[in-house]
């Protein structure tokens, strides 16, 4: 019990905070949240109930909650005229009733017999402002606070033993017991507050509904002679016509027309009918403006499309061999990319222009088409009609061929029927059906034969072309082999070792020959043919890109080594200056023959 003998001045905020944090389990608020007393360091009093948090203003760092089995050490609270001793920490927390709604009043029991109202104010005034105290002659009282949160602070003192001064008399001691109290004033204030909140919620909902409600149309005036005259003048005015017509429609639907005012309504309806000419003229004017705008758009689109065609032709001209060989690899890549972009944009613009023309054709009726064909037949040519006419011509030719074949078959059948004996009606029907089936089958076979003939012609043409290309390539390779053979013979006559010739006259492979295999000879022939059509030479990358179309395994280093072994046939030249320096290989075989 050493903790009970400790003293603590009321002016020490930290001691007060320690004492209030050691009061046991924190109380439970109306929302079910654990609460701790908030401390005001300037007054040395509890000013509110704050949610349990590791950091609370005025209390600093709150210690972690203790377990239910561990005892809680509580401090003694000293006041001016009394002393409060904490209860036994091993005892369970005092029980309380259910909290009434809007409770601001607490029941305080176990007061000393000699306790006065001033003592009650001194002890419980530290929790908050006291509105009223109702003290009984017995040892209890009711205290009504100004705020609801003060009730939770006051309940923390439940279980404390109170002693007046230093007296040990039974009348000067007691054990405090605090609980919620039911008061009509608290219930009345809580109901008033709830009704006020409900009124505010209804007002807010009404304001929101009014804001979302669409605006109501302006009211329509009732019919009278004066209003009828004013409405007739408004109907004649072009600016006020829509509003006046709405009023006239409402009067007619209400049944304001009678035998007496029928003439007035007739005149207003007649005035409304007079606006038809104005509306039609405005419509025609807007249609003319739209047609002018469409014509202007079409002319602009046509000029843009013509410029795109010129740009595309520029790129096509640059892609030809005469100009294409002089560009570098990066430049060719950019030119190819630009050409594709321009062609794509050109196609999009041409589709838009054709779409405009198609819309015009759909809008025109049959009569308009006839008028246009009569008046503007010399100025415009309809591409759709031309294509349709060509399709009809082709269909007509095919039908003629089918008709001739059908006539021939019919004549043959007639001849066969004349030779045979007459048949019955049933046999005649079956025979005619068989003939019709045979005719259809013959027509289908004729169409298939025509298609197959066309395909055969195309394949024969492709085969002939490929055979001619192969024959030309064989002749070139043969000529190159003969030239190489002659050159080897000439080189042997000058001092090189001669190779033995076979029966066919072909030289065998020698270790000193620059051409080591038949594959090297083929490469030399193909490269010579390629460089012969490039008089300004070509780079090793360009040559290899051409050779790799024939064989993907060709290596640029291998080709360059082969060209360097034949200096009399291929010559390396450097073109350009600085960063544009480039190596080009030229064919010099004709000059080499002259020199040798």
């Amino acid at each position: 019990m050493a903790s009970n003998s400790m003293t603590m001045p009321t002016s020490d905020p930290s001691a007060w905070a320690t004492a209030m944090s050691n009061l046991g389990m924190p109380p439970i608020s109306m929302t079910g949240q654990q609460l701790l007393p908030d401390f005001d360091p300037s007054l040395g009093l509890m000013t509110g109930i704050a949610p349990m948090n590791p950091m609370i203003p005025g209390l600093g760092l709150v210690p972690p909650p203790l377990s239910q089995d561990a005892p809680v050490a509580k401090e003694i609270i000293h006041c001016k005229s009394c002393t409060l001793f904490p209860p036994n920490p091993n005892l369970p927390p005092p029980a309380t009733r259910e909290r009434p709604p809007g409770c601001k009043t607490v029941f305080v029991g176990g007061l000393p017999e000699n306790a006065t109202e001033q003592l009650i104010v001194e002890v419980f005034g530290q929790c908050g402002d006291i509105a009223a105290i109702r003290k009984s002659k017995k040892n209890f009282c009711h205290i009504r606070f100004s705020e609801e949160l003060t009730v939770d602070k006051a309940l923390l003192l439940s279980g404390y033993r109170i002693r007046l001064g230093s007296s040990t008399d039974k009348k000067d001691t007691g054990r405090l017991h605090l609980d919620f109290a039911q008061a009509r004033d608290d219930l009345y204030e809580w109901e008033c507050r709830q009704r006020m909140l409900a009124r505010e919620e209804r007002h807010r909902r009404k304001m929101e509904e009014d804001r979302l409600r669409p605006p109501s149309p302006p009211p329509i005036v009732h019919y009278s002679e004066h209003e009828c005259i004013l409405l007739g003048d408004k109907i004649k005015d072009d600016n006020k016509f829509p509003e006046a017509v709405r009023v006239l429609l409402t009067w007619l639907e209400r049944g304001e027309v009678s035998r007496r005012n029928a003439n007035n309504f007739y005149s207003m309806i007649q005035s409304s009918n007079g606006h038809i000419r104005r509306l039609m003229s405005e419509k025609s004017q807007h249609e003319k403006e739209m047609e002018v705008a469409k014509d202007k758009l079409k002319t602009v689109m046509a000029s843009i499309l013509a410029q795109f065609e010129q740009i595309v032709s520029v790129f096509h001209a640059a892609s030809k061999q005469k100009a294409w060989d002089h560009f570098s690899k990066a430049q060719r890549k950019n030119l190819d990319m630009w050409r594709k972009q321009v062609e794509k944009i050109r196609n999009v613009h041409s589709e838009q222009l054709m779409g405009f023309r198609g819309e015009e054709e759909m809008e025109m009726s049959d009569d308009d088409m006839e008028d246009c064909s009569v008046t503007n037949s010399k100025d415009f040519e309809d591409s759709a009609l031309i294509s349709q006419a060509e399709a009809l011509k082709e269909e007509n030719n095919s039908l003629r061929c089918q008709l001739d074949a059908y006539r021939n078959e019919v004549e043959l059948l007639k001849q066969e029927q004349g030779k045979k004996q007459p048949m019955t009606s049933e046999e005649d029907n079956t025979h005619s059906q068989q003939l019709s089936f045979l005719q259809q089958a013959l027509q289908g076979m004729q169409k298939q034969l025509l298609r197959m003939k066309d395909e055969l012609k195309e394949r024969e043409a492709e085969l002939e072309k490929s055979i001619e290309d192969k024959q030309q390539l064989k002749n070139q390779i043969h000529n190159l082999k003969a030239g190489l053979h002659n050159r080897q013979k000439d080189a042997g006559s000058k001092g090189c070792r001669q190779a033995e010739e076979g029966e066919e006259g072909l030289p065998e492979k020698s270790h000193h020959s620059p051409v080591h295999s038949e594959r090297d000879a083929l490469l030399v022939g193909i490269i010579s043919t390629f460089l012969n059509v490039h008089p300004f030479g070509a780079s090793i990358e360009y040559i290899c890109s051409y050779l790799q179309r024939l064989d993907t395994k060709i290596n640029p280093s291998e080709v360059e080594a082969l060209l360097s072994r034949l200096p009399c046939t291929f010559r390396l030249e450097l073109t350009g200056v600085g960063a544009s320096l480039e190596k080009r290989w030229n064919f010099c075989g004709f000059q080499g023959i002259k020199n040798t």
Side-chain angles (χ1 to χ4, degrees):
M1 299 299 292
S3 61
N4 293 336
S5 62
M6 295 176 60
T7 61
M8 182 189 67
T10 56
S11 61
D12 189 358
S14 62
W16 178 263
T18 305
M20 297 308 296
S21 63
N22 294 329
L23 292 178
M25 296 300 292
I28 306 299
S29 66
M30 295 178 66
T31 59
Q33 188 180 15
Q34 290 184 348
L35 304 175
L36 281 180
D38 194 5
F39 181 77
D40 189 354
S42 62
L43 301 175
L45 300 175
M46 297 176 293
T47 59
I49 298 297
M52 180 176 287
N53 199 323
M55 293 297 295
I56 298 178
L59 291 178
L61 183 63
V62 176
L66 300 176
S67 62
Q68 295 180 356
D69 298 335
V72 180
K74 298 182 180 180
E75 301 293 336
I76 299 173
I77 301 173
H78 290 275
C79 298
K80 291 182 180 180
S81 58
C82 66
T83 305
L84 298 174
F85 297 94
N88 188 359
N90 295 325
L91 294 176
T96 57
R97 68 170 69 182
E98 185 179 358
R99 182 169 186 161
C103 180
K104 294 182 182 180
T105 305
V106 294
F107 167 81
V108 182
L111 292 172
E113 293 182 4
N114 295 331
T116 60
E117 187 173 345
Q118 185 178 0
L119 176 65
I120 295 171
V121 173
E122 181 182 352
V123 174
F124 294 97
Q126 298 176 1
C127 300
D129 295 335
I130 297 175
I133 298 175
R134 294 190 295 273
K135 187 176 179 302
S136 177
K137 293 180 180 181
K138 297 182 180 181
N139 301 335
F140 69 91
C141 70
H142 288 84
I143 303 173
R144 189 168 190 269
F145 294 98
S146 300
E147 300 292 337
E148 293 184 18
L149 296 177
T150 313
V151 175
D152 298 321
K153 296 180 183 180
L155 289 176
L156 297 175
L157 299 176
S158 181
Y160 270 71
R161 289 183 294 107
I162 185 171
R163 186 178 67 185
L164 303 179
S166 59
S167 175
T168 58
D169 190 3
K170 188 177 181 180
K171 295 182 179 181
D172 295 333
T173 59
R175 183 180 295 276
L176 299 178
H177 173 70
L178 284 83
D179 197 354
F180 298 109
Q182 292 183 352
R184 287 177 293 180
D185 297 338
D186 298 343
L187 183 60
Y188 177 73
E189 289 182 1
W190 181 79
E191 290 176 352
C192 291
R193 187 165 60 253
Q194 295 298 319
R195 285 194 294 269
M196 181 184 67
L197 294 175
R199 285 197 301 271
E200 290 178 355
E201 180 66 19
R202 288 196 299 271
H203 179 69
R204 187 188 63 78
R205 290 181 181 177
K206 185 176 180 301
M207 294 294 291
E208 186 69 17
E209 291 176 359
D210 293 342
R211 187 179 65 83
L212 297 176
R213 185 182 296 112
S216 58
I220 304 298
V221 296
H222 293 281
Y223 175 79
S224 64
E225 294 291 337
H226 178 68
E227 293 294 338
C228 183
I229 294 170
L230 294 177
L231 186 64
D233 296 335
K234 289 181 181 179
I235 289 175
K236 295 176 182 178
D237 191 357
D238 296 339
N239 298 325
K240 300 179 181 179
F241 175 72
E243 181 182 358
V245 166
R246 186 169 60 84
V247 176
L248 177 59
L249 179 62
T250 306
W251 286 354
L252 291 171
E253 291 177 350
R254 286 179 183 175
E256 300 289 346
V257 185
S258 62
R259 190 177 294 275
R260 183 182 299 176
N261 56 13
N263 294 330
N264 297 332
F265 276 96
Y266 179 78
S267 62
M268 288 188 288
I269 294 170
Q270 187 177 7
S271 301
S272 301
N273 186 41
H275 285 274
I276 294 176
R277 291 190 298 272
R278 175 182 62 83
L279 296 174
M280 293 300 293
S281 62
E282 290 179 359
K283 180 186 174 184
S284 61
Q285 183 179 358
H286 289 300
E287 287 178 351
K288 289 179 181 178
E289 292 177 357
M290 186 175 66
E291 290 177 357
V292 171
K294 281 185 178 180
D295 294 338
K296 186 176 180 181
L297 178 61
K298 279 191 287 186
T299 54
V300 172
M301 289 288 290
S303 64
I304 291 171
L305 190 61
Q307 294 178 13
F308 272 116
E309 292 289 345
Q310 293 176 356
I311 296 171
V312 171
S313 61
V314 168
F315 279 108
H316 282 300
S319 301
K320 291 183 179 179
Q321 203 70 34
K322 292 187 291 184
W324 189 256
D325 296 337
H326 298 284
F327 295 112
S328 64
K329 191 173 182 180
Q331 291 174 348
R332 292 172 185 170
K333 185 177 180 181
N334 292 332
L335 290 172
D336 193 13
M337 181 179 65
W338 294 340
R339 179 179 59 79
K340 291 179 180 178
Q341 290 179 355
V342 171
E343 287 179 352
K344 186 176 180 180
I345 297 171
R346 188 269 312 272
N347 294 333
V348 171
H349 280 73
S350 62
E351 288 177 0
Q352 289 181 356
L353 190 61
M354 293 299 293
F356 291 150
R357 292 176 180 175
E359 289 178 358
E360 288 183 355
E361 292 175 1
M362 291 175 66
E363 289 176 358
M364 286 192 298
S365 60
D366 296 337
D367 297 333
D368 295 335
M369 291 285 287
E370 292 177 1
D371 296 337
C372 291
S373 62
V374 173
T375 55
N376 300 325
S377 59
K378 296 181 180 180
D379 298 335
F380 300 100
E381 293 180 359
D382 195 358
S383 59
L385 293 175
I386 293 172
S387 60
Q388 188 177 2
E390 292 177 355
L392 289 173
K393 286 181 180 179
E394 294 178 358
E395 188 176 359
N396 190 14
N397 294 329
S398 63
L399 289 173
R400 283 181 181 176
C401 295
Q402 293 178 6
L403 184 61
D404 294 337
Y406 180 72
R407 286 176 179 173
N408 294 329
E409 291 177 358
V410 170
E411 288 178 358
L412 291 173
L413 290 172
K414 285 182 179 179
Q415 292 177 2
E416 291 177 358
Q417 288 178 359
K419 294 178 182 179
K420 293 181 180 180
Q421 296 178 358
M423 295 181 294
T424 61
S425 61
E426 294 180 356
E427 293 178 352
D428 192 6
N429 292 331
T430 55
H431 189 65
S432 61
Q433 290 178 359
Q434 291 177 359
L435 288 175
S436 63
F437 292 148
L438 289 172
Q439 289 174 1
Q440 292 177 1
L442 287 171
Q443 290 177 3
M445 292 176 66
Q446 287 176 357
K447 290 180 181 179
Q448 290 180 359
L449 288 172
L450 291 173
R451 291 175 186 172
M452 293 177 68
K453 284 182 180 179
D454 295 338
E455 291 178 358
L456 286 172
K457 287 181 181 179
E458 291 178 357
R459 290 182 180 178
E460 287 176 359
E462 291 177 358
L463 288 172
E464 288 176 0
K465 188 176 180 181
S466 62
I467 290 169
E468 290 176 0
D469 294 340
K470 288 182 180 179
Q471 189 66 31
Q472 291 178 1
L473 185 61
K474 285 182 180 179
N475 294 333
Q476 290 178 1
I477 292 171
H478 182 70
N479 294 332
L480 289 171
K481 284 183 178 181
L484 288 172
H485 178 63
N486 294 330
R487 287 183 61 192
Q488 287 179 0
K489 288 175 68 177
D490 294 339
S493 63
K494 289 181 181 180
C496 297
R497 294 178 63 182
Q498 295 182 356
E500 295 181 359
E501 296 180 358
E503 295 178 358
E504 297 177 358
L506 294 175
E508 294 180 356
K509 296 181 182 178
S510 63
H511 296 286
H512 299 282
S513 177
V515 181
H516 300 298
S517 61
E518 186 179 0
R519 183 173 180 274
D520 293 342
L522 290 173
L523 289 175
V524 170
I526 294 169
I527 293 169
S528 302
T529 307
F530 177 78
L531 293 177
N532 192 22
V533 297
H534 291 79
F536 299 100
S539 62
I540 192 68
E541 291 83 8
Y542 192 18
I543 296 171
C544 289
S545 65
Y546 178 76
L547 294 175
Q548 285 176 355
R549 295 181 181 177
L550 304 175
D551 187 3
T552 57
K553 298 180 181 179
I554 293 175
N555 192 4
S557 60
E558 178 187 357
V559 176
E560 190 172 6
L562 179 63
L563 296 178
S564 61
R565 291 200 301 267
L566 298 171
C568 296
T569 308
F570 306 101
R571 183 174 63 252
L572 179 64
E573 295 181 354
L574 298 176
T575 59
V577 178
S580 61
L581 188 64
E582 187 178 6
K583 295 181 180 180
R584 290 179 177 270
W585 288 91
N586 292 330
F587 179 74
C588 59
F590 300 110
Q591 296 177 4
I593 292 173
K594 291 179 181 179
N595 294 332
T596 56

